[in-house]
Structure formats: structure tokens, C-alpha cells
Amino acid sequence: MTPTTAKNRADGEALHTGTVDALLARFATSPSAGLTSIEAKARLERLGENVLPKATKPSALRQFLGQFANPIVGTLVVAGVVAVINGAGNTSDSFLTRWGDAISIILIVVLNAVLGYVQERRAEAALDALEKMQSPAARVRRDDDLRVVEAREVVEGDVIELEAGDAIPADARLIQSVDLAVEESALTGESVPATKDARAELAEDAPLGDRATMLFVGTSVVRGKARALVVATATRTELGKLSTLMSAPTDAKTPLEERLDAFGKRILWGCLALSALIFVWGLFLAKETWQQVLLGSVSLAVAAIPEGLPAITTITLALGMQRMSRRGAIVRKLAAVETLGSATVICTDKTGTLTQNEMTVREVFCGGRAYHVTGTGYAADGEIRNEDASVADIEYAPLRHLLASVALANTAKLEADADGMRRVIGDPTEGALLTLSEKGGLPKESILPSHKLLREIPFDSDRKRMTVVTLDAEGSEIVHTKGSCDVLLPLCVHVELEDGIVPLSEVSRAEIQAEADRMSAKALRVLAVARREITRKSLDDADADADADAGEGGVDIEQRLRFVGLVGMIDPPRVGVKEAVRECAEAQVRAVMITGDHKLTAVAIARELGIWDEGAIALTGSELAALDDAGLAARIDATRVFARVTAEQKLRIVKAFKARGHVVAMTGDGVNDAPALREAHIGIAMGKNGTDVARAAADMVLADDNFATIVHAVREGRAIWRNIQKFIFFLLSSNAGLVVAVLGTSLVPSLPPFRPIMILWINLVTNGLPALALGIDPPDASQMMEPPRKTSDGLLGGREYLGIGIVGLVMGAIGIGCYVWPWEVSAGVDRVAYGRAIAFSLLALSPLFHAFSCRSATRSIVSLRPAWSRPLVLAVLASGAIHLVAVVVPALRTVFQTYGMPLVHWGVLVALSVSIVPVVELSKLLQRMRVVGADLGPMSRKR
């Protein structure tokens, strides 16, 4: 017994199996009169309104304060506080000298918080008002009268009336039903409408999608009429239970957030250790004043912290978010932009995600001929083609009769929406048949004027067929029947072939059944079509016989039929999905289908799209339920299709993949996908056809509902990760030079320390623009041929840290050399202060040249393509010009304590700044030689 069955019982029986009389007695209501208004009001007060709780969103203040929850930002805040204390204790200097450091640090912290807050609020605004799953109104029986009330006022015990097009306002048990079919794909994942029958006999453990006696909120009626008893409202509905599941998983951090947090903590502890060293040295060994010690400690902390890292990371992710938005992917959380780049598994729903959620006829068999139908969905831009791909002859009588019958025995309508896209009003299967007749040049509108509808016998689950009788322009009465092949074929005695109408032999029956089996093996839904010309007398006699037998009207009419043909249809894959799946495979990202549809259909679609590979297996929901966690873990890496699964099982599947160390992306559009969307590292919902609940649970929404957009997102995520590595390496290696220079000069009491505002200027103004340019460096085409990075990988590896050490030692040593060099200065200029000013400019300009080497960790500058990154060139020129302003403008010299320099000194300064490039390029060359040597060594030994 499933948990859902155990919770929904009436008088000892499950709701879907209990008798209607028992349920009516339990809810104290009448099937005709319904509840009284007084009782309905009392129940509304006791049980509450029929609405789902909205997801709690963080307040604007909380979301803004959340931007400060970062170790690097926290360290900057502490440095800012120390700078404030230092400024307050230094009353002899000017305002800018006292408070410039503190103001600069605080501005950087606030700027980063504002950038992150604005981008995330924009995304929330674009996806606001996402809880609209319940219908706005419902028709209920109250006080022995039919009334229209708001859906929120529906209570348990209400008797509701439903017909085609109605949204179901609450979970309900059928009392009466006539030819009822309900679209449940948003809840169960099945693309074909579920047939409902108040009289159906079900097992207690019947899965949700097989409960033919039940209706569920969030679904809609596509055909027929019904009267039903409301048995659950609000959070007690199946949809409500899903909202409870959604609240269970906590908001886990993305891999990037985890790595940045770990990275920030290491920087934090390193800053504390270095600052403590300087504090102890200055206060106890060098005997400096506490103000000098604080200034030195803050200077070192500011030098060690890459202040631009939070802001540049935020801007890089925000720009990536905007690029993805232009491609149709709306990202709700900045850090999620990069997560897809590390995804190893994409768990994707089938209906509406991989497929169009529009039934389409693929194959036709009639008159002994097989036809292929082009085009997908409800657009009539396809053709019916022969086996040799030539256009079919519509004048061929069997084909023409088939097209006419499927159009006439049809209650659906096709309408164009505001975007010009056609949608079906009614059963999607009948919509596919209408489209087929249009592709064959016989739209229903062209047939109706010559056919008068005399009688209609609707489809029901017992007969498994539908029949209409029409009177044509020549006065002939024609029976048009469509239904299941195994039911309709035994009712046929003739078959229409190229040579005319002939008796249906056993050989012909076997051939037709074999063709139906062939279509079914391809996961096509097969319908048989038959006709019969009758006289008025035979029609009257049939009615009389039916009345006399008290049987189902039309039984005799549906005898002695002429078999016309078979129609095979399927919910086809979306255009571009197959190519997207192939690109994911090349990027070593595994696509796994998770669906509520049948196993045979799911595997067929998986094969067609390339998801299914050698050694793959498929598991159904019942098979999954029989497995414990260890059994699932042993099979999950080989499983490519999960079919007929529940929402709880989707959640379990995602957790199982995560337990195996995978970075999981989950796509979906239905209500049943929402809990798994939240549990996944990144949830991806459909924007057009997706439900509001799914969009609210997702980290990313595909505005165009195109699975192929995910491939662009994977590519963008990998490019962002690579670029983040580039600018982190650039910032840390440049900061390492600052740390070496600041630490080295701090150990010499006679040398005044670098001021924090100098270091902030270098870190933010001169280094900030090149770092940002590296963040938008063009992606490398080869990155989509590489495997996803491991979850255990850090932001940087040992090779990068070695490079940071080399750059830091070289750049810092040159900076210290500039500081202590006996420069020739003008009269009245302090030689030591002049040396510090030159060192300041060296540490500001050297990273600008170093940035070009940071575009690749291994490849030389001359081998990169494109050879020059335009954003980086512009950023370097702009940063260099800005620094010149700080040196040349007299008013700013007092702020940064710089001096005018002769051209000779400028020449020496630029030459020393450029010298970092050959050092880094030589380091890369040695690394490449070591890798090549390691590769050639075993080969040479084999030889």
C-alpha cells in the first residue's frame, strides 16, 4: 500500500476504491442537493480556504544582508572597522588621509552587495506571481441548486459539475461520468489524457495515474461530463502534498558557492595569521605605536584580500545571467549560472520537455499501403508521403475515406492562440487526427457542409471506440468508427483495398494485426478506423433492436464494419532535442529520462533521442519501490529511463544520484517535478508550458521551453567557471606581489608602510577592469569536449598555486627593489616616500601586463585564439590611464602620496612592469615540457 493510499481512506477503504454511498455518508452530503450554504460556510471556517500556501520569499532586507554572508566580504568588513578605529585615533592628518581607507573599504563592500541584490531581485521580479495552479471558479451544487463559486470557497463534501474545458478545483471522487477524459500530464507526466470512469474497479495500491475514479486539482477536463464529490482541498490534495514535499529539502548551496566559501575561509585565516604576525612584530619587537601597528595590519590584510573578487565574481555571473537570458534561460540565483557547467547528470522529464506535449500522427496504414506523415504538433505544414517519400495520392479511395472518418468522428477543435500557435480544445488524440486530415487536404471544415450529423455514440472505457453517423450529400448514411484495433478489428467483415471492397480474410486480419503490433513496438498509439454505409431502414431496425435488448445504443450499428486503416501517433520529440542530447554526451554529461509515462513509450523516445545506449536499463516505479537504497545505488549509473514514477520517487532518484557524487540538474514542467527540482543542484523548469509550481521551485526557467537551451547553458556555465579561474589566478597572483611587498617593507621599521588606500586602488581600480575582462573572455571551443570537473576539485589546483607563488615573489621583489632603490629626486622630495610612490606604480602597472598571460594556464600568449581579447585590451588601456591620473593630477598626489616622475624613471618603471610576462611564459613552457616528457617517457621506454 502506498503512503498516499494509507492517508486517504473512508470507512476502511481507500478513496479511489470505496463506494460512492459510503463516501457521501462520510462527508454528509447529497449527490443531487449538495451541501447547504450554512454547512458549506461552517466547513470553510473549520477547514480553511481551498488554496495552497505560497512559497515564503526572503524579504528585501534579508536578501540584501545575505550578500554579506561571504568570508571575503566579512574580512573586508572587519578591515573597514579597524580602518575606522585607526582614523578616529589619528587626529593630526587631513580628512581623506584619516578616513580614506575606511570609506574605500566600505564602498567596495556595499557595491558588491548592491550588485548581487539587484540582479537577484530582477530575476525574482521576472518570475513573480507563480502560484496559479487552482482554477478561479467552480460549479457546485448548494441548496439543491447549481451555483458558480470561487475555487477558494470549495469545501470537502461539495458536489461539483464538470465538462470539457473545466479546470478541476479540488481532489474529488467521481459520482457520475460520461465519456470523461482528463489531462493529467502536469501531475502524472503522462502525455495522453487519462480516461475516467465512476464505475471503474481499482486495486487499493493503484498508482496515481491509474486511479480512474478520482479527479485531482491542477488538471483539466478535455472530454465528457462528470459529477464528483470533493474529498480533499488545499494542502490535503495530491497537489498540496507535493507542496509539503517541496518544503522538505533545504536550499543547498551550489558547487560554486561551496568552493568560494571554502576559498574565502582560507583567505580569511591567512589574513588573520599574517596580520597577527605584523601586529606582534610591530608592537613588541619594533616598538611601534598602536596606530602604526593597526595601519600596518590593515595594510597587510587589504593587500592579502582580493577585494575585487566578490564584486567581479558577481558581475561575471550577472553578465552570464544576461547572456543566458537572451538565449531563453532565466536564472533566479547568480551562483546557479555556473552550476550547469559542472553537471554530470541531467534528469529530464519526458512530456513537454523532451517531447512537444502535442500528439502527432507518424504513420498511416490503409488500402494495403503504408504512409509516413511529416511535420509535428498541431501545425498543418506537413505531408502524407508514400514509402518512397513521394507525396501520397489523396484521391486514393481508402486514404480519402480514412481522412474523412477521423475528421468526422471527432469532437475536438483547433484554435490559434495570441502567438499564432495552434492548440487543441478537447482530446489531444483527436487534435492529432484533425491535423492529419488537414495535412491530407481534407480539413474538417471542408467535409462538414456535405455531411449532416445524425447520431453520435461517445467513447467509453468499456467499448473502447467512438462512432458517429452522418448523412452525405448523396443521401447515404455512413457510420464512422475509430477505436482500439483489438476491439474494432473483430467487428469488421470487409476491408477496403486498392481493388475495392473485399471480404476480410483471416490472412488479411493477421496482416493488419501484425502492422498494428509493429506500430505499437515503436511506442506509437494505434487507432483503427472503420466505416459502413447503411440504409434508413437498417438504422431504424438497429435502434429498435437496441431498445428491445436494453443494451448500449448503437451496438448493432457497429457491426459488420468495413476496415479502412490504422493510424499510429506519438507525442514527438522537440526539434533540436536529439542534437542537444548528443552535445551533452560529447561533453560527458549524462541525460536520464524520468517520466510518469509507460516504460515502452519512454524507452522508444529514449532510443530515438540517443539517451539510450549499450548496457542501459529502464526501471518502473514499482520496480524502484522494490529496491532498497543499496539496490538503487547499484543500478542507478546504468539506468537511462525511469518510467511510471511518482513525485516521491523522483525525489529519491535525484538524491541517489547526489549520493553517488554527481552534480545533478533536473528539468521538468509538471507539478510532480517540483520537489525534485528543489532537491537537485540546479532545477530547470519550463517557462511556457510549465506549471507555476514547477517554475517557483526551479533555479532556472527556460523561457522558450527548449531543451536545447540547456546545452547553451552548459557551455556558458563551463566558460564562466574557466573565466572565474582566470581572474582568480590573476587577482591572487597580483595580490601575492602586494603581500610580499607589504610584508617585506613592514619588517623594516625605517620604511613607512604602504597605505591601505594605495593597495585598494591597485586591487580595485587598476586590477579590477582587467579581472572583469578576463571574466568575459571568449570561451574555448574545446571545453565542451572535456569531462565535467570533479566535485572534489577546488577553485585552483597545485599548478595555479605554484604560479601564484612565482608571480608573487617576482612582482613583490621588484616592488621592494623599487622602494629601496636610491632614486635621484628633486630638492625637497623625500627619497623614501618617492621610492614608495614608484613601488606603488610598479605594483599597479605590472598586473596589467600580467593579465595577458592569465588567459591560459598552460598555452603561451602567441598561441591563443583569438590572439587579442578586445575587452582585455580596452580594460588594460583604461586602467593604465586611470592610474596615470592618480600620479599626474596634482590634487590626487596628496591623497595617494605620489610624485611627478621624469621620463627616464617612467621608462625604467614600464620595463620592470613588463618583465613579469617572460617570467610567467617561461614557467608555462617548463610545465608544458614536463607534461610532454611525462607523456613521451613510457612510450620511449616501450620502444
Side-chain angles (χ1 to χ4, degrees):
M1 183 182 299
T2 64
T4 305
T5 303
K7 294 178 182 177
N8 293 298
R9 308 185 66 83
D11 297 338
E13 293 185 282
L15 290 175
H16 61 282
T17 59
T19 64
V20 172
D21 289 341
L23 289 171
L24 290 169
R26 177 193 172 188
F27 287 97
T29 189
S30 164
S32 57
L35 298 173
T36 65
S37 298
I38 296 174
E39 177 62 20
K41 183 177 180 181
R43 294 188 185 190
L44 187 64
E45 292 175 353
R46 184 173 73 253
L47 299 174
E49 290 188 334
N50 180 33
V51 294
L52 295 177
K54 292 186 178 181
T56 303
K57 294 182 180 180
S59 64
L61 178 61
R62 183 177 177 184
Q63 194 164 14
F64 179 74
L65 294 177
Q67 307 300 322
F68 296 91
N70 178 297
I72 295 178
V73 176
T75 307
L76 279 175
V77 171
V78 173
V81 172
V82 173
V84 168
I85 296 172
N86 187 58
N90 185 5
T91 58
S92 59
D93 291 334
S94 65
F95 176 83
L96 280 178
T97 304
R98 291 176 59 194
W99 302 107
D101 299 332
I103 292 172
S104 301
I105 295 173
I106 292 171
L107 281 176
I108 292 307
V109 170
V110 173
L111 173 64
N112 174 73
V114 169
L115 284 171
Y117 169 79
V118 168
Q119 285 297 331
E120 291 186 7
R121 293 302 284 190
R122 277 183 181 176
E124 288 296 329
L127 299 169
D128 209 5
L130 300 175
E131 299 280 347
K132 300 175 183 175
M133 282 304 300
Q134 291 182 291
S135 59
R139 290 179 293 128
V140 303
R141 302 202 72 84
R142 298 262 178 94
D143 300 319
D144 201 16
D145 188 22
L146 187 63
R147 300 179 182 178
V148 178
V149 301
E150 290 187 20
R152 64 176 58 243
E153 297 176 2
V154 172
V155 297
E156 294 175 9
D158 264 328
V159 175
I160 57 176
E161 301 275 356
L162 297 162
E163 59 185 23
D166 287 345
I168 297 169
D171 286 5
R173 173 68 152 83
L174 285 172
I175 299 173
Q176 300 172 358
S177 62
V178 178
D179 187 28
L180 186 65
V182 177
E183 172 60 64
E184 293 186 333
S185 63
L187 189 64
T188 66
E190 289 198 51
S191 56
V192 178
T195 300
K196 300 292 184 176
D197 188 350
R199 301 168 299 172
E201 295 182 2
L202 305 173
E204 278 204 5
D205 61 351
L208 198 66
D210 294 339
R211 296 181 189 175
T213 59
M214 295 294 296
L215 304 176
F216 303 103
V217 66
T219 64
S220 59
V221 179
V222 297
R223 185 182 69 238
K225 297 181 180 180
R227 179 176 294 181
L229 169 67
V230 174
V231 295
T233 59
T235 56
R236 295 172 293 281
T237 62
E238 293 296 330
L239 179 57
K241 292 168 191 170
L242 284 174
S243 67
T244 302
L245 281 175
M246 286 173 60
S247 63
T250 55
D251 290 333
K253 290 185 176 181
T254 67
L256 176 61
E257 289 175 316
E258 293 174 351
R259 289 178 173 94
L260 286 174
D261 282 351
F263 184 67
K265 289 174 182 176
R266 286 196 294 269
I267 291 178
L268 173 60
W269 288 111
C271 288
L272 290 175
L274 288 173
S275 296
L277 175 65
I278 292 299
F279 187 86
V280 171
W281 171 268
L283 198 60
F284 298 104
L285 299 179
K287 305 299 181 181
E288 296 176 348
T289 65
W290 71 268
Q291 288 93 343
Q292 291 175 313
V293 171
L294 274 180
L295 181 60
S297 299
V298 170
S299 296
L300 187 61
V302 172
I305 300 170
E307 289 85 1
L309 179 58
I312 294 170
T313 302
T314 299
I315 294 171
T316 299
L317 293 174
L319 292 174
M321 177 188 288
Q322 293 175 7
R323 288 193 299 271
M324 294 172 78
S325 178
R326 288 194 292 269
R327 286 187 174 271
I330 302 172
V331 183
R332 304 180 65 188
K333 192 175 182 182
L334 279 178
V337 174
E338 174 275 339
T339 306
L340 263 180
S342 62
T344 58
V345 173
I346 299 177
C347 297
T348 172
D349 184 47
K350 179 183 74 68
T351 305
T353 307
L354 295 173
T355 64
Q356 299 181 22
N357 201 17
E358 294 181 355
M359 294 299 291
T360 301
V361 175
R362 282 277 184 86
E363 296 186 13
V364 174
F365 176 79
C366 69
R369 300 179 183 177
Y371 300 93
H372 173 69
V373 184
T374 63
T376 59
Y378 301 130
D381 54 0
E383 294 178 317
I384 302 175
R385 294 182 176 272
N386 299 309
E387 288 185 290
D388 63 1
S390 61
V391 178
D393 180 11
I394 306 303
E395 297 304 320
Y396 182 52
L399 179 58
R400 190 173 185 85
H401 288 159
L402 181 142
L403 296 177
S405 291
V406 297
L408 291 169
N410 202 309
T411 59
K413 293 191 301 181
L414 292 172
E415 293 183 353
D417 58 20
D419 297 330
M421 302 297 292
R422 299 212 306 177
R423 61 188 182 93
V424 63
I425 307 299
D427 192 326
T429 297
E430 297 199 330
L433 295 176
L434 288 180
T435 305
L436 173 67
S437 66
E438 290 187 10
K439 290 178 179 179
L442 285 178
K444 186 174 183 178
E445 294 76 13
S446 69
I447 305 173
L448 280 178
S450 59
H451 286 78
K452 178 182 178 182
L453 181 64
L454 300 178
R455 185 173 184 181
E456 177 182 330
I457 307 172
F459 176 92
D460 67 44
S461 57
D462 292 331
R463 296 172 51 255
K464 295 184 179 179
R465 59 187 182 271
M466 174 195 180
T467 296
V468 297
V469 182
T470 64
L471 180 67
D472 67 10
E474 299 175 356
S476 300
E477 294 162 353
I478 306 174
V479 176
H480 308 271
T481 302
K482 70 176 191 292
S484 171
C485 183
D486 59 343
V487 171
L488 204 58
L489 190 58
L491 301 179
C492 296
V493 295
H494 294 91
V495 59
E496 190 168 359
L497 298 174
E498 185 174 0
D499 298 331
I501 300 171
V502 299
L504 183 60
S505 66
E506 291 303 316
V507 173
S508 295
R509 287 182 189 275
E511 290 176 351
I512 293 169
Q513 189 60 56
E515 186 65 24
D517 292 341
R518 184 190 65 80
M519 289 185 183
S520 296
K522 297 170 67 175
L524 297 178
R525 186 186 183 196
V526 182
L527 285 180
V529 182
R531 289 163 62 99
R532 174 188 175 192
E533 285 79 17
I534 58 176
T535 64
R536 168 55 59 184
K537 182 177 183 302
S538 64
L539 182 60
D540 292 340
D541 290 344
D543 288 342
D545 292 341
D547 292 340
D549 295 338
E552 190 73 35
V555 170
D556 288 345
I557 292 175
E558 296 173 337
Q559 299 292 334
R560 303 189 60 79
L561 298 172
R562 181 174 81 246
F563 181 83
V564 178
L566 299 172
V567 174
M569 65 187 71
I570 198 171
D571 179 14
R574 288 181 175 274
V575 177
V577 168
K578 185 174 183 178
E579 292 77 12
V581 171
R582 186 183 66 250
E583 288 190 55
C584 283
E586 291 173 351
Q588 300 185 42
V589 180
R590 183 187 312 165
V592 176
M593 182 190 296
I594 304 178
T595 179
D597 216 334
H598 293 278
K599 184 176 181 178
L600 181 64
T601 303
V603 170
I605 293 292
R607 289 183 187 276
E608 183 173 353
L609 293 177
I611 293 175
W612 194 268
D613 51 22
E614 185 177 354
I617 62 174
L619 291 176
T620 64
S622 56
E623 292 168 342
L624 183 60
L627 293 175
D628 58 15
D629 290 344
L632 177 58
R635 291 168 175 79
I636 197 162
D637 282 332
T639 307
R640 295 295 181 270
V641 172
F642 292 92
R644 306 293 285 170
V645 294
T646 65
E648 293 93 335
Q649 288 173 330
K650 289 188 178 186
L651 195 61
R652 184 185 176 199
I653 292 166
V654 172
K655 288 181 177 179
F657 274 120
K658 290 174 70 175
R660 296 282 294 172
H662 290 286
V663 176
V664 184
M666 169 74 186
T667 75
D669 61 351
V671 177
N672 59 334
D673 299 323
L677 288 175
R678 287 197 59 186
E679 177 64 26
H681 289 100
I682 180 165
I684 309 168
M686 303 297 113
K688 280 186 177 179
N689 297 322
T691 60
D692 295 321
V693 172
R695 290 196 294 267
D699 301 294
M700 179 187 295
V701 176
L702 301 182
D704 55 3
D705 282 14
N706 192 346
F707 181 86
T709 304
I710 297 174
V711 178
H712 298 305
V714 170
R715 185 182 295 108
E716 187 67 48
R718 291 191 176 189
I720 288 172
W721 171 261
R722 188 75 60 82
N723 289 346
I724 286 175
Q725 287 183 309
K726 291 177 187 177
F727 70 67
I728 286 179
F729 176 79
F730 168 71
L731 289 174
L732 288 189
S733 54
S734 300
N735 275 41
L738 278 173
V739 169
V740 170
V742 171
L743 185 60
T745 55
S746 296
L747 297 178
V748 181
S750 61
L751 296 178
F754 289 95
R755 298 196 60 83
I757 196 170
M758 289 179 170
I759 300 167
L760 281 173
W761 177 264
I762 295 170
N763 280 347
L764 297 172
V765 180
T766 59
N767 290 359
L769 289 178
L772 186 57
L774 288 171
I776 57 174
D777 205 36
D780 187 347
S782 65
Q783 65 188 14
M784 286 299 285
M785 305 300 292
E786 300 173 357
R789 62 185 175 278
K790 298 178 181 178
T791 54
S792 58
D793 291 346
L795 280 170
L796 301 176
R799 179 180 61 195
E800 286 78 18
Y801 283 114
L802 176 63
I804 289 170
I806 293 173
V807 172
L809 288 173
V810 173
M811 198 179 293
I814 296 174
I816 293 174
C818 289
Y819 200 149
V820 300
W821 186 260
W823 301 96
E824 293 184 7
V825 296
S826 304
V829 175
D830 186 339
R831 189 186 301 273
V832 174
Y834 185 85
R836 183 178 68 174
I838 291 208
F840 167 52
S841 290
L842 180 283
L843 294 171
L845 296 180
S846 186
L848 302 186
F849 297 99
H850 173 50
F852 291 99
S853 296
C854 294
R855 293 186 61 204
S856 174
T858 57
R859 296 169 62 184
S860 68
I861 291 178
V862 295
S863 68
L864 294 176
R865 295 293 180 272
W868 298 100
S869 167
R870 183 179 179 185
L872 182 58
V873 171
L874 294 176
V876 167
L877 292 176
S879 295
I882 291 172
H883 183 71
L884 282 177
V885 171
V887 177
V888 174
V889 176
L892 293 178
R893 288 178 182 172
T894 57
V895 176
F896 294 100
Q897 298 182 9
T898 57
Y899 300 88
M901 293 185 292
L903 289 177
V904 174
H905 290 178
W906 274 113
V908 172
L909 177 60
V910 170
L912 291 174
S913 299
V914 174
S915 66
I916 192 63
V917 174
V919 172
V920 175
E921 292 302 309
L922 177 61
S923 173
K924 287 192 208 177
L925 176 61
L926 293 175
Q927 290 186 49
R928 290 197 299 273
M929 292 175 63
R930 188 178 68 175
V931 171
V932 172
D935 291 340
L936 293 178
M939 294 175 63
S940 60
R941 284 194 296 271
K942 286 179 182 179
R943 290 174 181 168

